[in-house]
Amino acid sequence: MPIFEYRCKACGTKFEKLVRGNEKVACPECGKGRLDKLFSVFGVKSGEKFTPSSGGSCGGCSASSCDGCR
Ligand SMILES: [Zn+2]
């Protein structure tokens, strides 16, 4: 099951969410749905170091699905 890590664009809260199907994800702090997807984990991490950052680059992301490093 894919676990996605998100960062809220509104308040900057980072959280992980297990997403099933097209479940809607919202920030647990402010309830808003404008999120950056940071990282996805499929069971085992590849050994890349994930560096939490609120800056422009998101360190450990190697996927094109990451909005933080485009
Ligand atoms: Zn938020």
Side-chain angles (χ1 to χ4, degrees), residues 9-61:
K9 289 183 179 180
C11 68
T13 298
K14 275 182 56 189
F15 61 98
E16 291 177 352
K17 176 82 175 170
L18 207 161
V19 180
R20 291 181 220 96
N22 47 12
E23 183 181 344
K24 210 173 162 188
V25 181
C27 173
E29 290 296 321
C30 69
K32 295 188 176 166
R34 294 184 56 216
L35 307 167
D36 282 324
K37 188 185 287 182
L38 299 182
F39 197 65
S40 58
V41 180
F42 292 87
V44 182
K45 289 194 177 183
S46 64
E48 280 185 276
K49 187 177 180 185
F50 177 69
T51 306
S53 171
S54 57
S57 67
C58 59
C61 172

